[in-house]
Short mmCIF file of all heavy atoms in Angstrom, two decimals:
data_model
loop_
_atom_site.label_atom_id
_atom_site.label_comp_id
_atom_site.label_asym_id
_atom_site.label_seq_id
_atom_site.Cartn_x
_atom_site.Cartn_y
_atom_site.Cartn_z
N LEU A 437 134.30 26.37 140.67
CA LEU A 437 133.40 25.86 141.82
C LEU A 437 132.02 26.23 141.69
O LEU A 437 131.15 25.52 142.13
CB LEU A 437 134.05 26.36 143.13
CG LEU A 437 133.38 25.88 144.42
CD1 LEU A 437 133.37 24.36 144.57
CD2 LEU A 437 133.95 26.55 145.60
N TRP A 440 129.66 23.55 140.52
CA TRP A 440 129.34 22.55 141.41
C TRP A 440 128.41 23.14 142.50
O TRP A 440 127.55 22.34 143.02
CB TRP A 440 130.61 22.03 142.23
CG TRP A 440 131.52 21.18 141.26
CD1 TRP A 440 132.29 21.72 140.21
CD2 TRP A 440 131.60 19.89 141.29
NE1 TRP A 440 132.91 20.56 139.61
CE2 TRP A 440 132.52 19.41 140.22
CE3 TRP A 440 131.05 18.83 142.11
CZ2 TRP A 440 132.84 18.13 140.02
CZ3 TRP A 440 131.37 17.50 141.88
CH2 TRP A 440 132.24 17.10 140.83
N GLY A 444 124.68 21.61 143.70
CA GLY A 444 124.76 21.25 145.08
C GLY A 444 125.78 20.15 145.34
O GLY A 444 125.82 19.74 146.60
N ARG A 445 126.51 19.80 144.41
CA ARG A 445 127.40 18.68 144.66
C ARG A 445 128.70 19.08 145.42
O ARG A 445 129.52 18.26 145.78
CB ARG A 445 127.81 17.99 143.41
CG ARG A 445 126.61 17.16 142.86
CD ARG A 445 127.19 15.90 142.10
NE ARG A 445 127.96 16.25 141.04
CZ ARG A 445 128.71 15.38 140.29
NH1 ARG A 445 128.73 14.09 140.66
NH2 ARG A 445 129.43 15.72 139.29
N ASP A 446 128.96 20.49 145.49
CA ASP A 446 130.09 20.91 146.36
C ASP A 446 129.99 20.42 147.77
O ASP A 446 130.90 20.12 148.42
CB ASP A 446 130.27 22.48 146.17
CG ASP A 446 129.01 23.10 146.76
OD1 ASP A 446 127.84 22.68 146.43
OD2 ASP A 446 129.21 24.16 147.46
N LYS A 447 128.69 20.39 148.23
CA LYS A 447 128.40 19.97 149.56
C LYS A 447 128.25 18.42 149.69
O LYS A 447 128.79 17.91 150.68
CB LYS A 447 127.12 20.56 150.09
CG LYS A 447 127.16 22.15 150.21
CD LYS A 447 125.90 22.60 150.79
CE LYS A 447 125.97 24.18 150.95
NZ LYS A 447 124.71 24.82 151.39
N VAL A 448 127.83 17.82 148.61
CA VAL A 448 127.71 16.39 148.66
C VAL A 448 129.04 15.71 148.69
O VAL A 448 129.26 14.75 149.50
CB VAL A 448 126.82 15.89 147.41
CG1 VAL A 448 126.84 14.33 147.38
CG2 VAL A 448 125.44 16.45 147.47
N LEU A 449 129.95 16.12 147.87
CA LEU A 449 131.28 15.62 147.89
C LEU A 449 132.17 16.09 148.91
O LEU A 449 133.20 15.35 149.34
CB LEU A 449 131.97 15.71 146.40
CG LEU A 449 131.70 14.62 145.46
CD1 LEU A 449 130.20 14.68 144.94
CD2 LEU A 449 132.61 14.67 144.33
N GLY A 450 131.89 17.35 149.40
CA GLY A 450 132.64 17.85 150.61
C GLY A 450 134.10 17.83 150.39
O GLY A 450 134.68 18.37 149.44
N GLU A 451 134.87 17.19 151.30
CA GLU A 451 136.37 17.16 151.34
C GLU A 451 136.98 16.36 150.29
O GLU A 451 138.13 16.41 150.03
CB GLU A 451 136.77 16.75 152.74
CG GLU A 451 136.32 17.72 153.91
CD GLU A 451 136.90 17.24 155.25
OE1 GLU A 451 137.35 16.08 155.32
OE2 GLU A 451 136.76 18.03 156.13
N VAL A 452 136.22 15.54 149.55
CA VAL A 452 136.78 14.79 148.51
C VAL A 452 137.14 15.70 147.30
O VAL A 452 138.11 15.43 146.63
CB VAL A 452 135.72 13.77 147.94
CG1 VAL A 452 136.18 13.10 146.65
CG2 VAL A 452 135.49 12.68 148.94
N LEU A 453 136.55 16.83 147.17
CA LEU A 453 136.88 17.80 146.07
C LEU A 453 138.25 18.46 146.48
O LEU A 453 138.37 19.07 147.57
CB LEU A 453 135.81 18.92 146.01
CG LEU A 453 134.44 18.56 145.31
CD1 LEU A 453 133.52 19.78 145.33
CD2 LEU A 453 134.85 18.12 143.87
N LEU A 454 139.12 18.52 145.53
CA LEU A 454 140.42 19.26 145.68
C LEU A 454 140.15 20.63 145.20
O LEU A 454 139.92 20.84 143.90
CB LEU A 454 141.47 18.65 144.87
CG LEU A 454 142.17 17.33 145.57
CD1 LEU A 454 143.04 16.65 144.54
CD2 LEU A 454 143.09 17.89 146.71
N ARG A 455 140.18 21.59 146.07
CA ARG A 455 139.86 22.99 145.71
C ARG A 455 141.10 23.83 145.70
O ARG A 455 142.06 23.68 146.46
CB ARG A 455 138.98 23.55 146.78
CG ARG A 455 137.66 22.68 146.93
CD ARG A 455 136.81 23.23 148.15
NE ARG A 455 135.73 22.19 148.45
CZ ARG A 455 134.49 22.46 148.54
NH1 ARG A 455 134.08 23.76 148.36
NH2 ARG A 455 133.59 21.56 148.76
N VAL A 456 141.12 24.73 144.69
CA VAL A 456 142.22 25.62 144.56
C VAL A 456 141.72 27.07 144.23
O VAL A 456 140.56 27.20 143.73
CB VAL A 456 143.20 25.24 143.43
CG1 VAL A 456 143.81 23.91 143.75
CG2 VAL A 456 142.41 25.19 142.08
N HIS A 464 138.17 27.14 142.30
CA HIS A 464 138.11 26.08 141.38
C HIS A 464 138.23 24.78 142.08
O HIS A 464 138.53 24.68 143.24
CB HIS A 464 139.28 26.19 140.29
CG HIS A 464 139.28 27.55 139.53
ND1 HIS A 464 138.63 27.68 138.36
CD2 HIS A 464 139.89 28.66 139.82
CE1 HIS A 464 138.88 28.90 137.89
NE2 HIS A 464 139.62 29.61 138.81
N VAL A 465 137.89 23.71 141.31
CA VAL A 465 138.09 22.31 141.79
C VAL A 465 138.92 21.63 140.65
O VAL A 465 138.82 21.87 139.49
CB VAL A 465 136.88 21.61 142.12
CG1 VAL A 465 136.03 22.36 143.18
CG2 VAL A 465 135.91 21.38 140.91
N LEU A 466 139.79 20.69 141.07
CA LEU A 466 140.36 19.74 140.19
C LEU A 466 139.35 18.63 139.98
O LEU A 466 139.08 17.90 140.98
CB LEU A 466 141.78 19.26 140.72
CG LEU A 466 142.74 20.34 140.68
CD1 LEU A 466 144.07 19.77 141.36
CD2 LEU A 466 143.10 20.85 139.33
N GLY A 467 138.78 18.48 138.81
CA GLY A 467 137.58 17.59 138.56
C GLY A 467 137.72 16.12 138.97
O GLY A 467 138.65 15.48 138.53
N PRO A 468 136.88 15.67 139.92
CA PRO A 468 136.74 14.23 140.12
C PRO A 468 135.85 13.59 139.06
O PRO A 468 135.95 12.35 138.89
CB PRO A 468 136.09 14.20 141.55
CG PRO A 468 135.32 15.41 141.61
CD PRO A 468 135.97 16.53 140.83
N PHE A 498 140.85 13.84 139.80
CA PHE A 498 141.39 14.06 141.11
C PHE A 498 140.42 13.89 142.22
O PHE A 498 139.32 14.45 142.15
CB PHE A 498 142.02 15.52 141.21
CG PHE A 498 143.04 15.71 140.14
CD1 PHE A 498 142.73 16.22 138.91
CD2 PHE A 498 144.44 15.49 140.49
CE1 PHE A 498 143.71 16.45 137.96
CE2 PHE A 498 145.38 15.74 139.45
CZ PHE A 498 145.02 16.26 138.19
N ARG A 499 140.76 13.18 143.23
CA ARG A 499 139.87 13.03 144.43
C ARG A 499 140.75 12.99 145.68
O ARG A 499 141.74 12.25 145.76
CB ARG A 499 139.02 11.79 144.43
CG ARG A 499 137.89 11.83 143.30
CD ARG A 499 137.17 10.58 143.19
NE ARG A 499 136.21 10.68 142.03
CZ ARG A 499 135.37 9.67 141.62
NH1 ARG A 499 135.39 8.57 142.26
NH2 ARG A 499 134.61 9.85 140.57
N ASP A 500 140.39 13.79 146.69
CA ASP A 500 141.17 13.82 147.93
C ASP A 500 140.80 12.70 148.76
O ASP A 500 140.06 12.86 149.77
CB ASP A 500 140.98 15.20 148.61
CG ASP A 500 142.00 15.47 149.68
OD1 ASP A 500 142.88 14.55 149.88
OD2 ASP A 500 141.98 16.45 150.33
N GLU A 501 141.15 11.49 148.36
CA GLU A 501 140.83 10.28 149.19
C GLU A 501 141.32 10.31 150.55
O GLU A 501 142.56 10.62 150.72
CB GLU A 501 141.39 9.06 148.48
CG GLU A 501 140.77 8.72 147.14
CD GLU A 501 139.37 8.19 147.21
OE1 GLU A 501 138.96 7.94 148.38
OE2 GLU A 501 138.68 8.09 146.24
N PRO A 502 140.55 10.03 151.56
CA PRO A 502 141.04 10.14 152.93
C PRO A 502 142.04 9.03 153.30
O PRO A 502 142.99 9.20 154.06
CB PRO A 502 139.80 9.93 153.85
CG PRO A 502 138.81 9.34 152.86
CD PRO A 502 139.16 9.75 151.50
N ARG A 503 141.93 7.90 152.52
CA ARG A 503 142.86 6.83 152.76
C ARG A 503 143.18 6.13 151.38
O ARG A 503 142.67 5.07 151.25
CB ARG A 503 142.37 5.83 153.72
CG ARG A 503 143.32 4.85 154.23
CD ARG A 503 142.76 3.75 155.17
NE ARG A 503 143.68 2.70 155.40
CZ ARG A 503 143.36 1.45 155.67
NH1 ARG A 503 142.15 1.00 155.58
NH2 ARG A 503 144.41 0.52 155.86
N PRO A 504 144.04 6.73 150.65
CA PRO A 504 144.46 5.95 149.47
C PRO A 504 145.04 4.62 149.77
O PRO A 504 145.84 4.54 150.71
CB PRO A 504 145.54 6.94 148.76
CG PRO A 504 145.30 8.25 149.48
CD PRO A 504 144.77 7.93 150.80
N ARG A 510 142.95 2.67 144.41
CA ARG A 510 142.33 3.80 145.07
C ARG A 510 143.43 4.91 145.30
O ARG A 510 144.12 4.75 146.24
CB ARG A 510 141.69 3.47 146.38
CG ARG A 510 141.04 4.63 147.09
CD ARG A 510 140.02 4.26 148.16
NE ARG A 510 138.96 3.54 147.66
CZ ARG A 510 137.82 4.15 147.07
NH1 ARG A 510 137.80 5.44 146.86
NH2 ARG A 510 136.81 3.41 146.55
N SER A 511 143.47 5.83 144.38
CA SER A 511 144.50 6.87 144.40
C SER A 511 143.80 8.19 144.31
O SER A 511 142.60 8.44 144.09
CB SER A 511 145.51 6.66 143.28
OG SER A 511 144.76 6.60 142.05
N LYS A 512 144.62 9.31 144.51
CA LYS A 512 144.11 10.66 144.53
C LYS A 512 144.09 11.22 143.09
O LYS A 512 143.31 12.04 142.76
CB LYS A 512 144.95 11.57 145.40
CG LYS A 512 144.84 11.33 146.87
CD LYS A 512 145.57 12.35 147.75
CE LYS A 512 145.36 12.02 149.20
NZ LYS A 512 146.11 13.04 150.06
N PHE A 514 143.99 9.73 139.02
CA PHE A 514 143.79 8.61 138.20
C PHE A 514 143.30 8.91 136.83
O PHE A 514 142.77 10.07 136.56
CB PHE A 514 142.82 7.61 138.96
CG PHE A 514 141.50 8.26 139.38
CD1 PHE A 514 140.41 8.19 138.55
CD2 PHE A 514 141.47 8.91 140.61
CE1 PHE A 514 139.23 8.83 138.91
CE2 PHE A 514 140.29 9.61 140.93
CZ PHE A 514 139.15 9.50 140.12
N ALA A 560 126.23 9.76 145.00
CA ALA A 560 126.38 11.28 144.74
C ALA A 560 126.19 11.64 143.29
O ALA A 560 125.96 12.80 142.97
CB ALA A 560 127.68 11.78 145.19
N GLU A 645 122.28 15.42 160.26
CA GLU A 645 122.57 16.88 160.07
C GLU A 645 121.35 17.61 159.70
O GLU A 645 120.63 17.31 158.72
CB GLU A 645 123.70 16.95 159.02
CG GLU A 645 124.19 18.46 158.98
CD GLU A 645 125.29 18.57 157.92
OE1 GLU A 645 126.28 17.98 158.05
OE2 GLU A 645 125.03 19.38 156.93
N PRO A 672 122.75 11.96 152.85
CA PRO A 672 123.86 11.10 153.31
C PRO A 672 124.57 11.64 154.54
O PRO A 672 125.52 11.02 155.04
CB PRO A 672 124.73 11.07 152.11
CG PRO A 672 124.66 12.45 151.55
CD PRO A 672 123.19 12.84 151.72
N ARG A 673 124.11 12.71 155.03
CA ARG A 673 124.74 13.43 156.14
C ARG A 673 124.19 13.02 157.49
O ARG A 673 123.27 13.63 158.04
CB ARG A 673 124.66 14.91 155.98
CG ARG A 673 125.45 15.39 154.71
CD ARG A 673 125.44 16.87 154.54
NE ARG A 673 126.26 17.29 153.45
CZ ARG A 673 127.62 17.51 153.52
NH1 ARG A 673 128.24 17.28 154.69
NH2 ARG A 673 128.28 17.88 152.43
#
Side-chain angles (χ1 to χ4, degrees):
L437 181 62
W440 287 76
R445 287 211 300 169
D446 61 318
K447 293 181 180 177
V448 173
L449 270 71
E451 294 181 350
V452 170
L453 284 178
L454 276 168
R455 306 174 189 231
V456 296
H464 301 269
V465 302
L466 293 176
F498 300 88
R499 293 181 186 172
D500 193 1
E501 293 286 353
R503 191 185 170 214
R510 180 163 296 280
S511 55
K512 292 186 176 183
F514 52 94
E645 185 176 302
R673 296 185 172 276

